[in-house]
């Protein structure tokens, strides 16, 4: 399928390993953060979100960590599977009730 | 529950031509968004509707782009005339209300301007 992005930072991991994808956000006033997964030829798919009054939130195989001091967000994927291969975007709600997306990280899972 | 529908999925036009994209949001979703995603980048908001009213169109190039959501359900995005730099994926998203995080995206329309 068509690539979502050709020159994105790429994280390559072995199947079964844990993955950590990082994101720096810009607006200290942002109070809501979301991680999206985008596979080739598809729209972004919601993974997990976190509000600024929290520093950690867990989902199924995924964990989001928020460090407001350094304006850093991370997504941890446990036991990474081939189906996790995609481009991952962090997004922030800057108060306009719409999202500002980061530039994305490509995750490649090696079997 | 049906997701966000978009058509066409692909479109190839020559520069200076016109093109229109259609979006049908998830039933009952009041808020609708159009994003532009250039290859290698994250989506960028073009316009946001709440029912049939525009909430934010500050990043819409209004000299060539227009959008409407006349009955508060379906929406169309038009480009007239198209430029080479308009080549991108145009994504439509909807949410139940204005809480930004609950946006659900459609598959997008891939536009190539030659």
């Amino acid at each position: 399928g068509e690539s979502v992005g050709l020159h994105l930072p790429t994280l390559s991991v072995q199947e079964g390993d844990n993955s950590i994808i990082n994101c720096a956000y810009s607006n200290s006033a942002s109070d809501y953060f979301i991680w999206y997964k985008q596979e080739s030829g598809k729209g972004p798919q919601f993974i997990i979100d976190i509000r600024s009054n929290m520093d950690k939130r867990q989902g199924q195989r995924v964990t989001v960590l928020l460090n407001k001091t350094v304006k850093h967000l991370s997504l941890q994927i446990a036991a990474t599977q081939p189906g996790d291969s995609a481009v991952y975007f962090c997004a922030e709600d800057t108060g306009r009730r719409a999202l500002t997306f980061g530039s994305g990280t490509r995750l490649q899972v090696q079997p | 529950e049906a997701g966000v529908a978009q058509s066409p999925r692909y479109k190839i036009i020559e520069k200076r031509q016109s093109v229109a994209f259609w979006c049908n949001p998830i039933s009952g979703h009041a808020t609708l968004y159009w994003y532009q995603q250039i290859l290698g980048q994250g989506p960028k908001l073009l316009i946001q509707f709440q029912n049939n009213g525009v909430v934010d169109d500050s990043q819409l190039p209004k000299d060539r782009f227009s959008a409407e959501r006349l009955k508060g359900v379906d929406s169309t995005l038009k480009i007239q005339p198209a430029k080479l730099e308009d080549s991108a994926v145009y994504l439509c998203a909807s949410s139940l209300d204005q809480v930004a995080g609950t946006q659900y995206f459609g598959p997008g329309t891939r536009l190539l301007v030659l």
Side-chain angles (χ1 to χ4, degrees), chain B residues 64-91:
Chain B
R64 298 183 300 107
F65 286 65
S66 64
E68 60 183 16
R69 193 185 184 202
L70 294 176
K71 296 183 178 180
V73 181
D74 293 6
S75 177
T76 57
L77 175 69
K78 297 179 181 178
I79 308 175
Q80 179 180 10
K83 293 185 175 181
L84 298 178
E85 58 261 36
D86 297 332
S87 295
V89 175
Y90 291 85
L91 293 162

Side-chain angles (χ1 to χ4, degrees), chain B residues 34-63:
Chain B
W34 283 102
Y35 288 85
Q36 180 193 58
Q37 185 174 26
I38 293 173
L39 192 63
Q41 300 180 17
K44 184 188 80 171
L45 180 70
L46 292 175
I47 189 168
Q48 176 185 350
F49 291 94
Q50 179 69 16
N51 296 309
N52 62 349
V54 175
V55 174
D56 183 354
D57 65 355
S58 58
Q59 299 186 77
L60 186 74
K62 298 180 186 65
D63 58 333

Side-chain angles (χ1 to χ4, degrees), chain A residues 2 4 37-45, chain B residues 9 37 89 91 105-108 110:
Chain A
E2 182 182 328
V4 171
K37 171 187 180 183
Q38 189 171 27
E39 298 174 280
S40 290
K42 297 182 179 180
Q45 176 188 0
Chain B
R9 292 297 311 277
Q37 185 174 26
V89 175
L91 293 162
F105 283 81
R110 278 161 176 73

Side-chain angles (χ1 to χ4, degrees), chain A residues 21-37 45-58 62-75 88-102, chain B residues 35 98-103 105:
Chain A
I21 301 172
N22 296 303
C23 175
Y25 64 93
S26 57
N27 192 333
S28 56
S30 295
D31 62 359
Y32 187 66
F33 305 88
I34 310 97
W35 280 99
Y36 280 91
K37 171 187 180 183
Q45 176 188 0
F46 175 90
I47 301 174
I48 192 167
D49 59 1
I50 188 168
R51 295 205 174 271
S52 59
N53 61 351
M54 303 172 67
D55 54 21
K56 180 179 180 179
R57 191 171 187 211
Q58 289 185 290
V62 295
T63 301
V64 56
L65 299 177
L66 174 63
N67 185 331
K68 295 181 288 295
T69 302
V70 295
K71 292 189 286 187
H72 183 268
L73 199 64
S74 69
L75 176 70
Y88 289 80
F89 293 98
C90 66
E92 60 184 302
D93 176 1
T94 56
R96 297 186 298 115
R97 299 300 188 185
L99 298 175
T100 299
F101 282 77
Chain B
Y35 288 85
Q98 285 195 3
V99 176
T102 53
Q103 290 183 37
F105 283 81

